[in-house]
Amino acid sequence: MSKYSIAKDLIAKATVEGKQESLDATDILEALLVQGIADLKEATSSDYARGFLQYEIESLGSGGIYEVQKR
């Protein structure tokens, strides 16, 4: 199972749980992004998290899922 498969499964589960709490999918995805960024920063560094996010932002609109930058 890939890291993306695991993430997609967790997002699907969070979305279902959010609906049970009257939250829409956008609210859940936003919260996951915010918490994921905070956890990434804590696990690595602010510089790494910033670089990772910049890479992903620059990839928006290019279509598909791309392998993220390596450490």
Side-chain angles (χ1 to χ4, degrees):
M1 180 176 267
S2 76
K3 60 186 175 185
Y4 296 107
S5 297
I6 293 169
K8 287 198 69 81
D9 288 346
L10 291 170
I11 289 168
K13 181 180 177 190
T15 301
V16 168
E17 290 180 17
K19 285 182 185 177
Q20 294 170 352
E21 299 297 325
S22 300
L23 298 168
D24 67 22
T26 301
D27 290 333
I28 297 300
L29 291 170
E30 287 173 352
L32 286 168
L33 282 169
V34 168
Q35 192 60 54
I37 291 165
D39 289 355
L40 179 64
K41 187 177 95 171
E42 187 175 311
T44 58
S45 69
S46 294
D47 288 340
Y48 178 85
R50 187 178 298 107
F52 173 84
L53 290 168
Q54 188 63 44
Y55 175 86
E56 289 301 317
I57 288 168
E58 290 171 1
S59 296
L60 284 176
S62 59
I65 296 176
Y66 295 92
E67 183 63 31
V68 297
Q69 70 186 34
K70 304 292 183 197
R71 286 189 197 198

